[in-house]
Structures are given as structure tokens and as C-alpha cells.
């Protein structure tokens, strides 16, 4: 009875052997890492969602490349500003490679290259936003297994101790089993919050991706005007396929 009343969780941790202590320290490190990633991602993603909502509301009034350039300058330092600047830089390089200015429009092969760059830029941005989120899911999956490893290790030592003392009395068995189970308890304390954090972060990432796709559609719509202008100067039927390349107009 005295053992049961005086033995706290902290005392169980202090009584753990080297292997159990190593597992507990690893779980503590995983927990700190998960909370750091989660808090950082939640703050950053919410800020970027706010930037995208503001940018989307203002972008509906943009109708030309010149206005798009001015928009990118105003929103410099934000996610939508970075994305649009990246697209405009590629457009500039594309036009300079043909020794033309933007007023002459885009040819069909240039428009396809522009579309690919717009899509690849989305992928690049989302890869950056999803960075480190896999650590949350990995921690959620690995922590219970680490805890179980510590428990199995502790139980082996507990039963070895019982065999040495040649006694199965509860006062002999209980301390060793309690010390063994503490690692499973710690593993669950890490895994459950990590799983919840991963789902929350993934939800925020998907929201950012949805907003980025809307932004890309609008940018593609503006770029498409250059294609249509170029097509009207050459062959009116040449760029009929570009109407299917973006669904922004149908929204």
C-alpha cells in the first residue's frame, strides 16, 4: 500500500532503466518537434490564407498584363505576390527569347509552355507548404510502436526479476509492470496529439491549394487574352484549343 501511494509517474520515469529512459527521451523529442511544427504551420498557413483571400478579391478587377504587374508589385512579399511574380518573370524570359514584347501576344507553343509553368509553379509552392508535415504523421505512427517496444523491454526485465526472486506476489510484480507500461503511456501521449495536428495542418494545406488554383486560373485567363490577340493577328482558328485550357471564364 505504501508503494502504491508513493509511486508517482515521475518516480516511475526515474526508476526506468537505460533502454526505457532512451525511449522516453526520444518520445519527448518527438513531442517537442510535433508541437513546434504544428504551431509554426498553423500560424503561417492562416496568414497565407488571409493573403490569398485578399488577393483573390482584388484580382477579380485585374484585366490586363499591366494591371497584373502592378498587382504583383503591391503584393510583394506575400504568397500570391510571389507566385504571380514568378509567372511574370517566366513570361518576360519567354518573350525576350523571341525578341518580342508582350504587346505582340503569345504563339501557340509559347502558350503551352506558359500553361506548364503556371501548373509547375503551383506544384512547387504546395511542396513548400507541405514541408515537414510528414513528420507529424510519422510521429503519430511511430510513437505507439516505440512505447510498445519500451513496454516489451520492461516486461522482459520484470519477469526476469520475478524469476530471480522466485516470488509472484503483487508487491513484486506490480512495480516492474508499471515501469514497463509507462513507455506505452508516453507513446500514446505523443501519438494522439500528433495525429490530430497532422489532420489540422493537412486541412489548412488543402485550403491553401484550393485558393492557389483559383489564383492560377485567373492568371491563366489574363494570359489567354494575349493568345487570343496573337491568334486574331494570324489565324482565328489556331488557338481554339486554348479555350479549354482554363475554366476560369466558366466560373
Amino acid at each position: 500500500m505504501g508503494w502504491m501511494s508513493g509511486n508517482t509517474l515521475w518516480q516511475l520515469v526515474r526508476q526506468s532503466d537505460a533502454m526505457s529512459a532512451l525511449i522516453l527521451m526520444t518520445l519527448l523529442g518527438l513531442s517537442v518537434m510535433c508541437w513546434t511544427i504544428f504551431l509554426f504551420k498553423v500560424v503561417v498557413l492562416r496568414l497565407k490564407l488571409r493573403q490569398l483571400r485578399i488577393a483573390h478579391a482584388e484580382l477579380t478587377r485585374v484585366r490586363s498584363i499591366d494591371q497584373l504587374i502592378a498587382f504583383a508589385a503591391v503584393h510583394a512579399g506575400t504568397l500570391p505576390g510571389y507566385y504571380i511574380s514568378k509567372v511574370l518573370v517566366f513570361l518576360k524570359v519567354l518573350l525576350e527569347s523571341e525578341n518580342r514584347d508582350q504587346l505582340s501576344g503569345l504563339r501557340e507553343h509559347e502558350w503551352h509552355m506558359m500553361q506548364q509553368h503556371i501548373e509547375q509553379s503551383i506544384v512547387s509552392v504546395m511542396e513548400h507548404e507541405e514541408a515537414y508535415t510528414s513528420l507529424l504523421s510519422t510521429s503519430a505512427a511511430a510513437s505507439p510502436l516505440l512505447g510498445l517496444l519500451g513496454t516489451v523491454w520492461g516486461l522482459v526485465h520484470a519477469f526476469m526479476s520475478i524469476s530471480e526472486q522466485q516470488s509472484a506476489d503483487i508487491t513484486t510484480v506490480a512495480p516492474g509492470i508499471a515501469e514497463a507500461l509507462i513507455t506505452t503511456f508516453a507513446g500514446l501521449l505523443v501519438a494522439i496529439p500528433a495525429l490530430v495536428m497532422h489532420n489540422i495542418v493537412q486541412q489548412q494545406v488543402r485550403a491553401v491549394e484550393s485558393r492557389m488554383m483559383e489564383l492560377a486560373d485567373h492568371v491563366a485567363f489574363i494570359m489567354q487574352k494575349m493568345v487570343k490577340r496573337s491568334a486574331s493577328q494570324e489565324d482565328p482558328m489556331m488557338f481554339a484549343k486554348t479555350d479549354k485550357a482554363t475554366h476560369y471564364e466558366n466560373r
Side-chain angles (χ1 to χ4, degrees):
M1 189 68 177
W3 176 85
M4 291 297 293
S5 61
N7 198 37
T8 63
L9 287 177
W10 175 241
Q11 288 173 327
L12 287 174
V13 172
R14 292 182 61 183
Q15 293 171 7
S16 300
D17 60 13
M19 182 65 175
S20 297
L22 177 62
I23 291 174
L24 289 172
M25 290 300 296
T26 302
L27 290 172
L28 177 61
L30 288 176
S31 180
V32 172
M33 179 189 68
C34 288
W35 279 102
T36 302
I37 293 173
F38 173 71
L39 294 175
F40 173 76
K41 283 292 185 180
V42 165
V43 171
V44 171
L45 289 173
R46 285 184 178 178
L47 175 62
K48 291 181 178 180
L49 276 172
R50 182 173 177 274
Q51 293 172 352
L52 286 166
R53 282 194 293 267
I54 294 173
H56 184 265
E58 297 179 5
L59 199 60
T60 55
R61 298 189 293 269
V62 175
R63 292 291 182 270
S64 67
I65 294 295
D66 291 337
Q67 291 178 343
L68 192 62
I69 293 172
F71 176 89
V74 170
H75 291 270
T78 66
L79 178 59
Y82 164 77
Y83 173 76
I84 293 175
S85 297
K86 190 174 181 179
V87 172
L88 290 173
V89 167
F90 182 81
L91 175 63
K92 180 181 178 182
V93 172
L94 194 62
L95 295 174
E96 287 178 347
S97 66
E98 299 289 338
N99 296 319
R100 296 181 294 112
D101 59 26
Q102 67 179 36
L103 297 178
S104 61
L106 290 173
R107 299 189 179 98
E108 184 178 17
H109 73 281
E110 294 171 336
W111 168 239
H112 291 322
M113 293 174 62
M114 195 73 240
Q115 279 185 297
Q116 291 178 1
H117 181 74
I118 289 173
E119 294 172 359
Q120 290 172 358
S121 296
I122 289 285
V123 173
S124 176
V125 168
M126 295 316 302
E127 285 179 351
H128 177 75
E129 298 306 325
E130 291 177 349
Y132 305 112
T133 57
S134 61
L135 293 175
L136 295 176
S137 60
T138 301
S139 297
S143 296
L145 298 179
L146 284 172
L148 181 60
L149 174 62
T151 295
V152 172
W153 176 270
L155 287 175
V156 169
H157 281 265
F159 285 120
M160 289 176 62
S161 176
I162 292 172
S163 65
E164 290 174 358
Q165 297 181 20
Q166 297 181 350
S167 173
D169 186 77
I170 188 62
T171 58
T172 304
V173 176
I177 294 178
E179 291 174 17
L181 291 174
I182 193 66
T183 56
T184 296
F185 177 71
L188 292 175
L189 283 181
V190 175
I192 295 172
L195 181 60
V196 174
M197 288 186 280
H198 177 261
N199 291 336
I200 292 174
V201 171
Q202 281 297 311
Q203 184 180 23
Q204 295 289 315
V205 169
R206 296 285 78 82
V208 170
E209 183 179 21
S210 177
R211 289 287 182 175
M212 287 298 299
M213 293 301 295
E214 292 177 359
L215 184 69
D217 282 347
H218 203 132
V219 171
F221 173 63
I222 295 172
M223 298 292 181
Q224 195 177 42
K225 292 181 180 179
M226 297 179 64
V227 179
K228 291 180 178 179
R229 181 168 56 246
S230 179
S232 65
Q233 295 171 358
E234 299 178 10
D235 183 355
M237 299 301 294
M238 182 181 298
F239 300 104
K241 296 179 180 179
T242 60
D243 289 334
K244 301 178 182 179
T246 176
H247 56 275
Y248 181 83
E249 286 182 285
N250 298 325
R251 288 190 170 186

